[in-house]
Amino acid sequence: ALDLIEARDTRGDLRALVVSGEPGVVGLATDLVKFQPRLQRVVQFLLGNVVVVRDIDVAVALQRKGIRTKFVTLDGEMVASSG
């Protein structure tokens, strides 16, 4: 059943955000979690465009800069462009 899941590619702008060294950005969730290789598609589907940030202030600041994605803080708070 896992082979039926279509993984999302991580958006290039999000990968660039992480590489840029933007203050408060920890990384992409897919790069920060450990999982078995057979679960790659599932993890990519669920976390492909999730950015982990230091705190809620960083998430809000990035949204105000026009970055539309899901942000999760180190404390587990979530901020999504959808509300």
Side-chain angles (χ1 to χ4, degrees), residues 70-83:
K70 291 181 185 174
F71 297 98
V72 176
T73 69
L74 293 175
D75 288 332
E77 298 169 295
M78 190 177 92
V79 176
S81 58
S82 59

Side-chain angles (χ1 to χ4, degrees), residues 3-48:
D3 58 336
L4 299 177
I5 296 174
E6 291 188 32
R8 302 174 189 162
D9 289 332
T10 300
R11 293 184 355 222
D13 62 326
L14 298 181
R15 191 156 297 282
L17 173 70
V18 172
V19 172
S20 74
E22 181 80 29
V25 174
V26 178
L28 294 169
T30 53
D31 294 339
L32 298 172
V33 296
K34 294 180 183 177
F35 54 90
Q36 296 175 5
R38 68 183 184 88
L39 300 175
Q40 175 68 37
R41 285 179 162 197
V42 174
V43 172
Q44 191 65 35
F45 178 79
L46 295 173
L47 302 176

